[in-house]
Amino acid sequence: GRVRTLNEDAILAEHAAASTAPRGDLLVVADGMGGHQSGEVASQQAIATIRERYFGNAVDSPIEALVAAIEAANRTVYQRAQQEGRQGMGTTVVAAARIDDRLHIAHVGDSRLYLIRGGQIQRLTHDHSLVEEQIAAGIITPEEAEHHPHRNVISRSVGTLPEVEVEVAPKSPLILHEGDRLVICSDGLTEHIKPSKILKLVDQRTPDAAAD
């Protein structure tokens, strides 16, 4: 963005090749953390591992393959951190695999996936964050969370521990409708732009224009 010289986010948007057609299209956003370029390393390593493992898995169901790929990314990032003295580096991951009209969604951390349909926006993922846990427990309100001093503290990430619990979105697989739009993003967007604004920016524009 306009503050940091280093971009610790990494993305993947890949159509399945003929040899991997049963696996559909893969969309991933990873937001790295750890400082001293470690976040950049973590997010890029996670993306590369997820891509390799997901398309290389011809046995499991799509969602099982997606979860297994993220778990593999966790092990790879964690092991690399130990080997390179980058303890504490990690990344969020939100991944979606589209096979025909079904969208399979798995995630770790506070990067999000939104569905825009019929002029409405709906978040399909759950933040693994301190403030989200406090909202669920009734300690703070969603409005208070927007300005909470610890709103950027995540409770789960890929690569910071030897094992990670990957969450499958409650509505996965989502049946896609004609005209649906998906927004997959890190908190670099949601920290500053509310869902209602995202809806206005995306709903009447092409994907490229909305991203710009």
Side-chain angles (χ1 to χ4, degrees):
R2 299 180 180 180
V3 178
R4 297 175 182 152
T5 57
L6 183 68
N7 182 10
E8 295 187 323
D9 291 358
I11 63 170
L12 175 72
E14 182 160 335
H15 290 294
S19 60
T20 57
R23 282 288 176 244
D25 304 322
L26 182 60
L27 309 168
V28 189
V29 166
D31 180 7
M33 66 201 80
H36 304 293
Q37 295 187 311
S38 293
E40 182 182 25
V41 171
S43 60
Q44 292 180 353
Q45 180 68 69
I47 290 281
T49 303
I50 291 168
R51 177 187 179 278
E52 176 187 1
R53 296 299 183 94
Y54 176 74
F55 286 119
N57 187 334
V59 178
D60 293 335
S61 69
I63 193 60
E64 289 173 337
L66 199 57
V67 169
I70 297 173
E71 291 173 341
N74 183 81
R75 293 190 295 271
T76 302
V77 173
Y78 179 80
Q79 291 166 5
R80 185 167 177 179
Q82 306 311 302
Q83 293 166 358
E84 299 180 5
R86 298 176 183 270
Q87 284 78 8
M89 84 170 182
T91 182
T92 69
V93 165
V94 55
R98 186 188 71 86
I99 302 175
D100 298 324
D101 65 346
R102 291 176 179 265
L103 190 73
H104 304 268
I105 308 160
H107 64 103
V108 176
D110 64 353
S111 293
R112 297 178 177 179
L113 191 154
Y114 290 94
L115 168 68
I116 293 176
R117 174 184 290 171
Q120 302 291 324
I121 187 169
Q122 179 183 4
R123 176 153 57 112
L124 300 182
T125 54
H126 168 81
D127 287 356
H128 302 134
S129 67
L130 176 63
V131 294
E132 193 95 340
E133 292 173 355
Q134 292 185 336
I135 291 171
I139 298 172
I140 62 174
T141 66
E143 292 72 26
E144 290 171 334
E146 292 180 6
H147 306 287
H148 197 282
H150 297 142
R151 63 185 178 279
N152 294 321
V153 176
I154 62 175
S155 56
R156 198 184 308 180
S157 62
V158 167
T160 50
L161 295 172
E163 302 293 333
V164 69
E165 181 182 354
V166 180
E167 181 170 345
V168 175
K171 293 194 175 183
S172 178
L174 175 74
I175 305 299
L176 295 170
H177 297 173
E178 186 73 25
D180 281 353
R181 292 168 178 262
L182 303 171
V183 177
I184 308 175
C185 60
S186 72
D187 68 345
L189 179 66
T190 55
E191 171 81 6
H192 305 287
I193 307 296
K194 292 185 177 182
S196 58
K197 179 69 171 179
I198 295 174
L199 172 63
K200 291 179 181 178
L201 290 171
V202 172
D203 201 28
Q204 301 301 323
R205 290 177 172 85
T206 65
D208 283 346
D212 288 342

